[in-house]
Amino acid sequence: HELILKNLKEHMNPWGIRQPVYNNHTNIPPVKKGMELAVYTGCREKSKGGSLHSALKILEKAGVSFGMIKNEKCCGAPMLDLGDKKTYEKTAKVNIKHLNSLGVDRILTLCPHCATSLNVDYMNVGDLEIEVVTLPALVNELIEDGRLTVNGNDGETTITYHDPCHLGRFLDEYDPPREIFAKIPGLELVEMERSRESALCCGAGGLMNMIVPDLAEFAIRERIRDVKNTGADTAVTACDYCTRFFWKSIKKKDGIKVKHIADVVLEHIE
């Protein structure tokens, strides 16, 4: 716990990584007043990479004006989870002031943990005036508004969807991902027995795999069994913590692919 909190205070991420990954390989414009979206990457995405590239490609194809947040800090969720309320509140207040000054109406959060923090937890600290939107909700909106057109690939693909804890239990966003899948020709969704409100945590949330790895391993083994029981070709989720933990834990013999919803959408848009 102490090392994680030390890393958060000194490097604004739980792992102590000094150089953000996206600064190394992605040419991302800074947010400007009047843009449609400010993209809040979160420390998981900045430090280790994940769905950012696909998410930005989707925004570009939809003609959305967006920019990255300069000097973006950790949302503070890990600090709150580990009981450092003082540092969390200090971080949250700084973030609220900074985000309110951006001059945009909406913030896109790629990480469900960040989405919960900004949407729910910040209400106990200050007044975040900007609307916070998640990637599945935004993509579904863009498709319905005609700004994105989805198409099918050759043949049919069977997928199952893992509901991230923060996206589902905390934000009640169970429908947007499923509505996206229903709009993609040739994509068949097979639900796990434990899905939506009954979905089991994969074991990566709340830094569980760093703090109580044995419990995390139990959780991911159970979740992989749920996936295999569906007979689906691919397990899809909307959280980079979940995606990475599934990817690390599924064995080659299982014959199951793991994808982030951003990658699935990018494969199916014109």
Side-chain angles (χ1 to χ4, degrees), residues 5 152 159 192:
L5 288 171
I159 66 168
M192 286 180 262

Short mmCIF file of all heavy atoms in Angstrom, two decimals, residues 5 152 159 192:
data_model
loop_
_atom_site.label_atom_id
_atom_site.label_comp_id
_atom_site.label_asym_id
_atom_site.label_seq_id
_atom_site.Cartn_x
_atom_site.Cartn_y
_atom_site.Cartn_z
N LEU A 5 1.00 4.25 -2.89
CA LEU A 5 0.67 5.64 -2.55
C LEU A 5 1.86 6.56 -2.83
O LEU A 5 1.69 7.69 -3.29
CB LEU A 5 0.25 5.74 -1.09
CG LEU A 5 -1.12 5.15 -0.75
CD1 LEU A 5 -1.35 5.12 0.75
CD2 LEU A 5 -2.23 5.94 -1.44
N GLY A 152 -20.37 -5.14 -41.33
CA GLY A 152 -19.94 -6.46 -40.94
C GLY A 152 -18.74 -6.92 -41.72
O GLY A 152 -18.46 -6.42 -42.81
N ILE A 159 -19.28 -13.35 -29.89
CA ILE A 159 -18.56 -12.71 -28.79
C ILE A 159 -19.36 -12.84 -27.50
O ILE A 159 -20.56 -13.10 -27.51
CB ILE A 159 -18.33 -11.20 -29.06
CG1 ILE A 159 -19.66 -10.44 -29.10
CG2 ILE A 159 -17.54 -11.00 -30.35
CD1 ILE A 159 -19.51 -8.94 -29.09
N MET A 192 -22.80 -14.35 -20.84
CA MET A 192 -22.37 -15.26 -19.79
C MET A 192 -23.50 -15.43 -18.78
O MET A 192 -24.37 -14.56 -18.64
CB MET A 192 -21.12 -14.71 -19.09
CG MET A 192 -19.86 -14.83 -19.91
SD MET A 192 -18.41 -14.17 -19.06
CE MET A 192 -18.32 -12.53 -19.79
#
